[in-house]
Amino acid sequence: MAIAPPDNGTPPDPAQPRTGFDRFFEISARGSTMSREVRGGLATFFTMAYIVVLNPLILGGAVDGDGKKLSIPALAAATALVAGLMTMLMGVVGRFPMALAAGLGVNALVAYEIAPEMTWADAMGLVVIEGVIIAVLVLTGLRTAVFRSVPTQLKTAIGVGIGLFLTIIGLVDAGFVRRIPDVANTTVPVGLGISGKIVSWPMLVFVVGLLVTLVLVVRRVRGAILIGILASTVLAIIVEAVANVGPSFVDGKPNPKGWSLNVPELPKQVVDVPDLSLLGNFNVLDSWSRAGWLVPLMFVFTLLITDFFDTMGTMVAIGQEGNMLDERGTPPRAKEILLVDSIAAAAGGAASVSSNTSYIESAAGVGEGARTGVANLVTGALFLLAMFLAPLSVVVPFEAASTALVVVGFLMMTAVRTIDWTDYEIAIPAFLTITFMPFTYSISNGIGAGIISYVVLKLAKGKARDIHPLLYGVAALFVLYFLRGPIESVVL
């Protein structure tokens, strides 16, 4: 169980008369209030609003098999639209504070591996197919059954690993941790700032913002995480106005001391008309005739494994952070949560913005007190507004938003104490799960390493009966997932 967020205060009395809205979303029953849900929704949006800018850059920077590119303005509008609608759908159906948007990693796979083998419409058609398959697995109960077959302590390790993953994402996005160039006599892969020093204004903004947020958290100030983001953004705007730092890339050339992705300056234009021309631009059949059956099949399998287990890990981590898991480590309305996530995957393909999936940045909202789907209504509404207010949605730089990810990473890390580290049969899989996520930058890789090692160690100890039958199949699928490179090289 994670440390209680700084603004918990005294929970409402569930016995008090409640409105229909309160009963539907279980606001009082989960110990929350409308103000906490609103703050949580705002915090979640600010920590993941970058996707409205980043997803178009990733998809718009690639070409398909016909040499065509997707329109960046149209990608931005569709990214915000699908994120807003799917996040609100999760709020109403799943009633769980977990926002959705175009998945990072998956969009790169679509842009640089799938699309070059076919047209953009064909590539997005494969994403739709993958989403439909996952939805069928949910409706048949298989996806929920697989989720429940994972041992409780391994689910805890998943949450802890995602906490570390969030932390490294925040540190890297803020430029506080950077890859060290390959030079002679250097074996350290990453280091502090630029040449081991904090020598840029954006890094200083991140450090100051992080310290301010940590102080607010320790003093249990209500809205600590959201206040930290907003205060860091204001400081960043002032710094940019005075120092004129600029972006991290200028005319295609790197500027190591620049802002990551978003430059914090007040936009000249506030309202813009969204371009929704990419909606419905997908084809589910042509890819199979153009690239053969095996190439699309391997791509769908890779997308399937990534979406299937990333979401499982994310909802465990968020539920763990908000103390919303039952004794088996399962969040409320798990089937509905997984179903909406599956629909979002298909919706992302249908809108040409790649598979939409759950975002671990939602933990920032949970850290602010969000416990219900009401927070999603706030986050989703802001995404829909971002279609028209795109210039305003890019004011918050990574250096300001990343402070929340580091703080939430700490809160999620505290659950590590509930793992029995004296029992090597669970401790070793837990350790591999926790370490593989940040070190390989993948939730699925961590889950796969944990499940495979758990099955192998139990079999080695002669305890085959301790393994849920479904885990054998899951472990086998992960073996195929990790070996897909050699398999493709032999078969294709």
Side-chain angles (χ1 to χ4, degrees), residues 34 39 69 80 163 229 346 420 433 477 485:
M34 278 298 298
R39 287 201 306 272
K69 287 189 174 185
I229 295 173
D420 184 2
T433 299
L477 287 174

Side-chain angles (χ1 to χ4, degrees), residues 419-437:
I419 298 173
D420 184 2
W421 295 103
T422 63
D423 180 2
Y424 284 9
E425 294 170 29
I426 190 66
I428 291 175
F431 167 75
L432 294 177
T433 299
I434 292 169
T435 55
F436 269 48
M437 286 188 192

Side-chain angles (χ1 to χ4, degrees), residues 400-449:
S402 295
T403 58
L405 302 184
V406 176
V407 173
V408 171
F410 155 71
L411 295 174
M412 296 172 68
M413 180 71 187
T414 60
V416 74
R417 69 187 184 279
T418 64
I419 298 173
D420 184 2
W421 295 103
T422 63
D423 180 2
Y424 284 9
E425 294 170 29
I426 190 66
I428 291 175
F431 167 75
L432 294 177
T433 299
I434 292 169
T435 55
F436 269 48
M437 286 188 192
F439 293 153
T440 67
Y441 240 65
S442 168
I443 295 174
S444 293
N445 288 348
I447 295 175

